[in-house]
Each structure stands twice: as C-alpha cells, then as structure tokens.
Amino acid sequence: MSGPAPGEPSDVTLLRRHADGDPDAFGLLFRRHSGRLWAVALRITCDPDDAADALQDAMISAFRRAGDFRGESAVTTWLHRIVVNASLDLLRRRSARSVSWSGDPDDLPLPEPGEGASAADSRIDVDAALRTLPPPQRAALVLVDMLGYSVADTSAILGVSEGTVKSRCARGRARLLPHLAHLRGDYPEGRNQTVPDSVPSEQGGGA
Amino acid sequence: MSGHWPPEWEDPEEEVPEEAEQLEADAQARLSEVTAYLASVPAPVVPENVAARIGAALAAEATARADDTAATAGSPTAAAANGSADAAVGDDTAPADDTAVHESAGGPPAGSPDGSRTLGPAPARARVGRNRRRRLRVSLPKAVGSLAVCLVLAGLGFGLA
C-alpha cells in the first residue's frame, strides 16, 4: 500500500490541512493513492471510462466531505469505501452493461503500453472473468485477493459483515475457477481459451 | 446470493466419505490457486489523461471552495447565515464519517456516492434571498429599538396618570 515518503505529511495531516483550507492538500492525497484507487474502480466497473467517471465522482465527494472524517478508520479505508460505493452506484445506473461479457475480445480493456505480452494477456483474461461476477462479489474479490486487504478491512470498506465478505469471496472464486483454470494449462487448448461455453457470447459460446 | 442449488447439482447420497473429503480438499486447493493467481495480476497504471482530468476537477473544486469562502467572509451576516445553514446540513449528514458511507451502500442518490448531500456554490436565487434577508435583519434592530422606546414612554405615561 502506498504511503507517505519520509518527510511528507501523513494522510490524516493532509486531510486536516484540506479541511482547514489548504488548496493543495487533497490533490497530494489523491496522487499518493491514485494507483490503488484506480485499480479498485477499474476492477469493479470493468470499463476504463466508467472507472474514470466513478473515480472522479468519488474524489469530488471525498473532497467536499473531508471535514466530516472522524479518524475512526484509516484515511485509505475511507477513500476506498467512497470509491467502491461510487463504482457500485455507477454500475447500478448502467446495470445493462456490467454483468456479463458479450464474448467479443474488442470489449476487453486494452493492455497498458509497455507491458509484456504475458502480463497483458493475464490482465485481459482476469478482466473478462471478473465481468462475469455480480458486482458485490467482484468488489469483495478485488479488495481481498487482488489488492490484499484483510477480510476485516474489506468488511469495513464494503459495509458488510466479515462473514458476508468471506461468502462473497468464496463464491466469486468458485465462479472464476472455470474462467481461469485454462491459464494453468488444464485445458488442451491452453491460454487461447478465455471463455467457457456457459458464458453468453456473440461468437457462439466462447472460444 | 441464496444457497439453493439446482437439483442436478445435489451430491449423491451414496458418495464415499473419503472421496468427498478428497474432493473437498481438491476444491479448496483449486480455489486457493484462484486466489494466488488473482494476487499475481499486476495492478493497472492510472492513465495520464484520467489523472489529469481528476486533478483538474479537484482544482476546480478548490477554486470554488475558495471563492465561496471569500464570498461568505465578505459579509458577516451572510457568513452567520451560511454558517447556520451549513451546520444544519452537517447535522443532517452526521455521523458523516464511516457509518454514513456505510449506509450509502444501499443506494445513495445519484451524484453522491457516499450518500451525503453534496454542497456546492449557492444558486443565484438563494444569494438573492440571503440579500433580502440581510436587509430585513439590518432594519430589525431599528424596529426593536423604536418599539422599546414606545413601551418606555407608555409606561411613563401610565405612571404619571
């Protein structure tokens, strides 16, 4: 998890400075955690444009409500919660787009420039697989398995019990298993098969 | 999600317990591999255009906040009115930290992902209203003073009578 460099103010200090009127404090706070916040938004929305919209909405909301932060949780937890809620809210408003994958590879997010082929392929496969999950399961799995949050922290971020987090993660993993098992070489077709037959696809049920 | 499985997913009763335990262990192992694989996926990098866009939005918010603060600081009565209004909003959203954001998971209104009422620059109509109320407040002390003088004179008159 990103944190302040030696000599830089802590997250709480930046938030307090922002609440006191410092015009640059919140921008510094955002830049410090932008990577993880972007990862959360992108993995949950599974669309770069939606992720950008959700992250912007979340940061503006956090900017305006920073004065209400009581310090009962970490600043990063608070920020992640706002981003998760913004992402889920955006998916609710665009509920027709996010649940299933059409099977068209052009719908997948493009790899970042400069990435190696293996890293790009694995991320495309994961993004396609994550799209098949219901958003609440997707959010739990992203926070726990991909970003390394503990079950307790994830329950605080999502606002549900730890048992619910564990249940969502278990079910999400079970649903992802057939999508990702081929990457370990279990299928004779190898890495090229990204979608099982059960996923609806314009290409006739997957590769 | 409910725990109701389709009938064809039900395990046969004559399944051997040892085999069931082995299947359970195998399933757990495979699920653990999913976890390990997800953890190995590299994190996406924030696109520069997204970072710039959000930075510009935050800068605009900071400018709007500074302008609003300057506008309210220019008039003490307006600042008092705005302070009372902001306090009322703050009470509405309190406790406005973790628990309020927790409540927003149930479906906050559009445009407020954490369930809060978003504050922004007051619309022009409200500013006009505050100006009207400011003028009314300025004249109220005079009216009260006049009324007090009248009451004193009336009391003196009654006493003389």
Side-chain angles (χ1 to χ4, degrees):
Chain A
M1 185 179 302
S2 60
E8 286 189 354
S10 67
D11 293 343
V12 175
T13 301
L14 285 177
L15 210 57
R16 287 175 182 167
R17 287 182 184 176
H18 166 70
D20 291 338
D22 187 339
D24 300 324
F26 196 87
L28 178 57
L29 185 65
F30 167 68
R31 286 191 295 273
R32 180 181 292 176
H33 300 290
S34 60
R36 293 181 67 86
L37 297 177
W38 170 250
V40 169
L42 183 60
R43 296 294 188 214
I44 292 178
T45 60
C46 295
D47 181 87
D49 294 333
D50 289 347
D53 291 341
L55 187 57
Q56 180 174 329
D57 290 344
M59 288 302 98
I60 291 175
S61 178
F63 181 99
R64 295 174 178 177
R65 294 175 49 81
D68 300 329
F69 179 73
R70 298 286 187 266
E72 296 176 358
S73 64
V75 173
T76 52
T77 301
W78 179 71
L79 288 174
H80 279 80
R81 180 184 302 134
I82 295 178
V83 172
V84 167
N85 286 335
S87 302
L88 294 177
D89 291 342
L90 188 141
L91 290 179
R92 289 191 191 99
R93 294 196 296 269
R94 304 182 187 185
S95 58
R97 292 180 54 190
S98 63
V99 176
S100 62
W101 179 49
S102 63
D104 185 356
D106 292 336
D107 285 343
L108 299 174
L110 297 175
E112 299 294 335
E115 281 185 348
S118 61
D121 291 343
S122 65
R123 192 166 69 81
I124 291 176
D125 293 331
V126 168
D127 288 339
L130 286 174
R131 281 186 178 160
T132 65
L133 298 180
Q137 289 183 10
R138 195 187 309 162
L141 214 56
V142 165
L143 291 171
V144 173
D145 286 352
M146 302 189 79
L147 296 181
Y149 280 99
S150 67
V151 172
D153 289 341
T154 301
S155 69
I157 292 172
L158 297 179
V160 297
S161 67
E162 293 187 15
T164 301
V165 172
K166 293 178 183 177
S167 173
R168 289 179 181 176
C169 287
R171 290 173 175 167
R173 291 172 192 136
R175 292 184 69 153
L176 285 183
L177 187 59
H179 296 260
L180 301 178
H182 68 282
L183 295 174
R184 299 182 294 107
D186 288 350
Y187 292 170
E189 293 79 6
R191 293 178 63 86
N192 292 330
Q193 183 174 355
T194 59
V195 181
D197 293 338
S198 60
V199 176
S201 167
E202 295 176 355
Q203 297 179 346
Chain B
M1 295 186 62
S2 69
H4 299 127
W5 303 106
E8 57 270 22
W9 288 14
E10 291 293 341
D11 293 330
E13 295 181 357
E14 56 271 16
E15 189 173 9
V16 177
E18 290 78 14
E19 290 182 0
E21 290 178 1
Q22 183 61 36
L23 287 174
E24 178 70 17
D26 290 342
Q28 290 297 328
R30 292 173 70 88
L31 293 179
S32 297
E33 291 182 359
V34 172
T35 299
Y37 179 76
L38 290 176
S40 68
V41 175
V45 178
V46 184
E48 291 184 1
N49 60 334
V50 173
R53 165 186 164 182
I54 296 176
L58 294 176
E61 286 290 318
T63 302
R65 184 176 71 166
D67 291 344
D68 192 50
T69 303
T72 55
S75 172
T77 53
N82 291 337
S84 62
D86 291 343
V89 171
D91 291 340
D92 289 338
T93 57
D97 56 352
D98 312 335
T99 55
V101 178
H102 165 77
E103 293 170 357
S104 69
S112 55
D114 55 353
S116 67
R117 290 172 53 185
T118 56
L119 301 178
R125 186 179 302 176
R127 293 195 197 100
V128 171
R130 285 200 295 271
N131 291 335
R132 289 178 181 165
R133 287 194 293 273
R134 190 183 309 124
R135 288 195 293 271
L136 179 62
R137 289 196 182 93
V138 169
S139 63
L140 268 177
K142 292 184 180 177
V144 170
S146 301
L147 181 61
V149 169
C150 291
L151 289 175
V152 168
L153 290 176
L156 287 176
F158 179 80
L160 289 175

